[in-house]
Amino acid sequence: MSSAFLLKIRKVVIKFSLYIVYTGESTTMEYRIEHDSMGTVKVPADRYWGAQTQRSHENFPIGLGHETMPEEIIHAFGVLKKAAARANAALRPDKMTAEKLAAITDACDEVISGRLNAHFPLVVWQTGSGTQTNMNANEVIANYANARASVKLLHPNDDVNMSQSSNDTFPTAMHIAAVLAVEDRLLPAIDALISTFLRLEEENRGVVKSGRTHLQDATPIAFSQEISGWRASLERDRELLTLSLPPLRELALGGTAVGTGLNAPKGFDAAVAAEIAALTGHDFVTAPNKFHALTSRDELVFSHGAVKALACDMMKISNDVRWLASGPRNGLGEITIPANEPGSSIMPGKVNPTQCEAVTMVAVQVMGNDAAVAFAASQGNFELNVFMPVCIYNYLQSVRLLSDAVRSFDARCASGIRADREKMAENLHRSLMLVTALNPYIGYENAARTAKLAYEKNISLREACIALGLLSGEEFDRVFQPEEMI
């Protein structure tokens, strides 16, 4: 078959009649012919992707329609391709002309906005370097621009991928997406819940309740102090997350295939990092060692560890809240939380701590994701890690889920927490561990005898202390002040 004939075929739009089983009707889908170094392939005529994207779409039907490449990564590719075009225009104006720069910029803006998301069909479970997603971006940007110009102005590899390799673009997209997800979504969610806890602390100052350790009664604590523990946990998690960001601000772009920077002009790495920082409004710099930047994912492991720490604390806080709200009559019942929906299909009037349950399920998912991120990061071989899509998929899912869960928990649970002061006072004065206040007056062993007798006889500590002849009633009343034990 002659090359001229093949060229003619590529320009023809072929119509195929497809039988759609679930409708029982036939429909007509139009295709065009695209080519790459392996030959020709049919691509849906209404899609901007090209041959390499189509091959991946057909060769990896794994999680198709469910586990596609995260939108955050697609957005990051729009940013980095625009930044690369700008850097190339400054450093290689003979190749990246003003006309090409304008076309790429326009197409990248469409990618960044999300308006071209339908043209990024590839799943996470593809090549471990993310090569096909890089080519998906190259093809969509080139074909969109060419369609707008009504002429083949851009080539996916020669123009859109200029001075780049999939091996340095994908890890760059990972870092951009991770930083933006943490700074734009997760940190604001944490800050909002911290503010809620600060308000609750102020509202509950002076409210004293029974403390608990090992799920057993312990010495008294102010409810505001208990809330401050929740708040301080979130503040520490925020600090840890912030500490994990500087390594993620280092970008691999400019390392090209193996870290040597082959085919990238001198200064491209620093220039493109500066462009990315300008486009996103977030701090980014070029990675000082591109050989490390291509093969190691330790920055994501470290950062996800901070994400997991937040998940652990949210698990603890949510469990505290649902324990304290348990009841309403046969539990602790020391706080009330918003009743958002019926809790049972068979028990009328039942209301459950559903927001707490959602948070704890998210926390479990994040903990599982942490293992996946760690295993993926351990799989670097020689000059490249080839588990990058699954690594960033799990990282972004953790950040996305936690951001949403923290916001929902804040709005639909924490903001409506109310202390039942009468129940707190009742539980406090029934606690046998208040006997600890007597240690300085009657000693540890006598205090233990008092508590045991009170429990065995179901009498008060005061009655037990008097029965044992350890203190008179007047002496007990003078030294026993639970509200002063905090």
Side-chain angles (χ1 to χ4, degrees):
M1 188 176 294
S2 70
S3 58
F5 182 69
L6 282 174
L7 183 61
K8 185 176 181 180
I9 292 178
R10 290 179 193 131
K11 295 179 179 178
V12 176
V13 175
I14 305 173
K15 295 185 178 181
F16 293 88
S17 295
L18 300 177
Y19 181 72
I20 308 301
V21 175
Y22 61 85
T23 62
E25 298 177 359
S26 64
T27 187
T28 300
M29 182 176 289
E30 293 186 346
Y31 289 89
R32 70 179 188 276
I33 297 297
E34 288 277 352
H35 77 281
D36 58 15
S37 60
M38 295 183 68
T40 60
V41 63
K42 297 189 295 290
V43 175
D46 62 346
R47 291 293 180 256
Y48 289 120
W49 69 70
Q52 292 196 44
T53 301
Q54 186 65 30
R55 291 188 193 281
S56 178
H57 192 41
E58 294 172 1
N59 290 332
F60 297 95
I62 307 169
L64 198 62
H66 299 283
E67 295 171 359
T68 53
M69 194 61 66
E71 290 182 5
E72 297 94 332
I73 289 292
I74 305 308
H75 175 271
F77 264 101
V79 170
L80 77 86
K81 293 296 178 181
K82 181 175 179 178
R86 286 183 174 185
N88 280 319
L91 298 170
R92 309 175 74 172
D94 56 320
K95 292 186 175 295
M96 183 57 66
T97 64
E99 184 182 18
K100 289 182 177 182
L101 174 61
I104 291 175
T105 296
D106 178 54
C108 286
D109 286 341
E110 291 295 301
V111 172
I112 293 168
S113 72
R115 287 189 287 271
L116 295 182
N117 282 351
H119 301 269
F120 290 85
L122 302 187
V123 294
V124 172
W125 319 107
Q126 54 167 277
T127 176
S129 63
T131 297
Q132 289 142 5
T133 290
N134 178 50
M135 282 308 304
N136 190 177
N138 292 333
E139 291 174 344
V140 167
I141 291 167
N143 287 335
Y144 175 85
N146 292 341
R148 289 289 300 272
S150 298
V151 64
K152 191 170 183 179
L153 177 65
L154 300 178
H155 187 281
N157 300 81
D158 296 337
D159 299 309
V160 185
N161 202 58
M162 187 186 299
S163 307
Q164 305 153 60
S165 163
S166 297
N167 295 354
D168 65 352
T169 58
F170 200 88
T172 296
M174 291 170 73
H175 281 206
I176 294 171
V179 170
L180 269 58
V182 171
E183 292 196 321
D184 291 348
R185 295 188 65 172
L186 189 53
L187 295 184
I190 295 172
D191 290 341
L193 185 52
I194 288 173
S195 295
T196 294
F197 286 149
L198 284 168
R199 173 179 60 79
L200 290 172
E201 285 179 61
E202 289 300 318
E203 291 176 359
N204 290 282
R205 292 202 183 280
V207 179
V208 181
K209 61 184 290 292
S210 178
R212 295 178 179 86
T213 59
H214 303 271
L215 294 181
Q216 305 295 308
D217 300 344
T219 54
I221 186 173
F223 188 36
S224 59
Q225 292 173 325
E226 191 165 43
I227 297 170
S228 78
W230 301 340
R231 185 250 310 157
S233 294
L234 295 178
E235 290 173 339
R236 178 53 54 86
D237 294 327
R238 192 190 197 288
E239 178 184 354
L240 295 174
L241 280 164
T242 302
L243 287 172
S244 78
L245 292 178
L248 288 173
R249 299 186 193 283
E250 297 182 1
L251 304 180
L253 207 55
T256 63
V258 295
T260 60
L262 179 68
N263 291 344
K266 183 177 177 58
F268 175 79
D269 55 353
V272 77
E275 292 287 355
I276 290 170
L279 287 170
T280 61
H282 295 257
D283 293 334
F284 288 104
V285 296
T286 189
N289 188 308
K290 303 301 190 299
F291 306 104
H292 167 268
L294 267 61
T295 194
S296 179
R297 304 275 63 84
D298 48 13
E299 302 91 349
L300 279 165
V301 173
F302 179 62
S303 184
H304 197 277
V307 174
K308 182 177 69 171
L310 173 62
C312 291
D313 280 329
M314 286 303 301
M315 173 78 83
K316 190 267 183 191
I317 292 167
S318 298
N319 280 333
D320 283 357
V321 169
R322 63 176 170 176
W323 271 103
L324 291 172
S326 61
R329 292 185 174 176
N330 296 326
L332 296 180
E334 292 187 346
I335 66 171
T336 60
I337 56 177
N340 297 320
E341 65 276 313
S344 173
S345 61
I346 189 173
M347 293 176 280
K350 195 173 192 297
V351 178
N352 297 329
T354 51
Q355 289 295 316
C356 297
E357 292 165 6
V359 169
T360 54
M361 286 192 289
V362 165
V364 167
Q365 183 66 54
V366 171
M367 292 173 196
N369 286 352
D370 192 66
V373 170
F375 279 119
S378 72
Q379 299 304 305
N381 298 115
F382 303 112
E383 279 63 62
L384 188 66
N385 177 285
V386 290
F387 283 67
M388 289 192 284
V390 69
C391 187
I392 194 60
Y393 175 74
N394 282 277
Y395 181 96
L396 291 173
Q397 184 191 56
S398 292
V399 173
R400 190 184 314 115
L401 287 176
L402 264 181
S403 300
D404 292 346
V406 169
R407 285 195 181 280
S408 185
F409 177 77
D410 179 22
R412 297 172 179 84
C413 183
S415 293
I417 288 175
R418 299 291 181 268
D420 187 330
R421 301 190 181 200
E422 291 183 4
K423 185 64 173 178
M424 285 183 175
E426 177 189 341
N427 288 346
L428 173 65
H429 287 275
R430 291 178 62 243
S431 172
L432 297 177
M433 289 305 100
L434 295 178
V435 76
T436 307
L438 302 178
N439 285 359
Y441 305 100
I442 62 177
Y444 180 91
E445 292 191 9
N446 282 331
R449 290 172 59 207
T450 300
K452 289 179 181 178
L453 181 65
Y455 180 70
E456 291 169 359
K457 300 295 186 181
N458 194 27
I459 58 177
S460 68
L461 290 173
R462 186 179 191 274
E463 292 170 322
C465 200
I466 294 172
L468 290 170
L470 299 173
L471 290 173
S472 67
E474 294 75 12
E475 289 172 324
F476 184 93
D477 293 339
R478 178 174 54 82
V479 301
F480 188 75
Q481 301 293 333
E483 284 75 17
E484 296 180 5
M485 295 175 67
I486 64 172

